[in-house]
Amino acid sequence: MGITNFEFWGMGKFVFGNEGIESKEDSYVERYLDRISNGTIPDDRRSAMTELQSLVAESRSAQMSFGAMGFPILLNILKEDREDVELVRGGLETFVSALTPIETSQGPKTEVQPASVNSDLLSREMENISLLLSLLSEEDFYVRYYTI
């Protein structure tokens, strides 16, 4: 039995110590994820993915929010929307951004990195790793590149 989105979200708030505080990045991440998962226009879904990737690449708060809410949505994209190479590529780029530490001069050096927590969340389910490895057989160079 897997962990729900709300459990991820609660765990993220517990680990990072900002219970009850919702940043502007949190609402943007949530809005982009909604457009990606519920959108009916392919170009809008791709645009939301690009915006989400940029936000996650620049903000630790967005990385944390993405880890709390985004993994199930993007993993579903990788399973169900493989024919949309641009969307899959964007999803993989977003995973890379969520798993890459963002250095900051603020905060103590012992502060938990959102990227580390995200790595742990992604690797907990063997199904996630199998899904990612299956993408190595795709024809698109960048899909294989970002998978590695």
Side-chain angles (χ1 to χ4, degrees):
M1 185 158 169
I3 297 175
T4 66
N5 291 350
F6 294 109
E7 288 171 325
F8 277 151
W9 182 248
M11 185 171 71
K13 288 188 175 206
F14 173 74
V15 170
F16 296 102
N18 61 346
E19 296 175 52
I21 299 173
E22 186 171 325
S23 71
K24 184 169 60 170
E25 286 91 359
D26 295 344
S27 64
Y28 287 145
V29 168
E30 190 172 357
R31 189 174 318 142
Y32 296 146
L33 288 169
D34 181 59
R35 285 175 51 199
I36 292 165
S37 64
N38 298 320
T40 56
I41 302 170
D43 284 339
D44 184 52
R45 294 177 75 206
R46 290 183 204 114
S47 174
M49 185 72 77
T50 301
E51 293 169 27
L52 176 64
Q53 189 277 327
S54 295
L55 183 62
V56 170
E58 297 171 2
S59 166
R60 290 170 60 126
S61 175
Q63 278 186 337
M64 181 182 70
S65 297
F66 173 79
M69 299 179 281
F71 280 114
I73 292 168
L74 263 58
L75 288 167
N76 191 54
I77 295 292
L78 299 180
K79 283 182 207 171
E80 305 296 327
D81 292 305
R82 276 194 152 160
E83 70 282 352
D84 189 339
V85 175
E86 285 183 54
L87 191 62
V88 169
R89 188 184 308 156
L92 290 167
E93 287 181 68
T94 304
F95 276 134
V96 169
S97 295
L99 301 172
T100 303
I102 297 173
E103 295 300 321
T104 178
S105 60
Q106 302 169 352
K109 295 291 182 196
T110 58
E111 183 177 23
V112 176
Q113 289 279 339
S116 297
V117 173
N118 289 344
S119 296
D120 185 51
L121 291 173
L122 182 63
S123 64
R124 282 187 182 178
E125 299 288 331
M126 188 61 176
E127 178 182 304
N128 297 344
I129 304 305
S130 297
L131 174 62
L132 291 171
L133 290 175
S134 75
L135 292 170
L136 293 174
S137 65
E138 292 294 316
E139 291 184 25
D140 185 76
F141 170 79
Y142 288 102
V143 168
R144 293 190 316 260
Y145 176 80
Y146 288 118
T147 298
I148 291 174

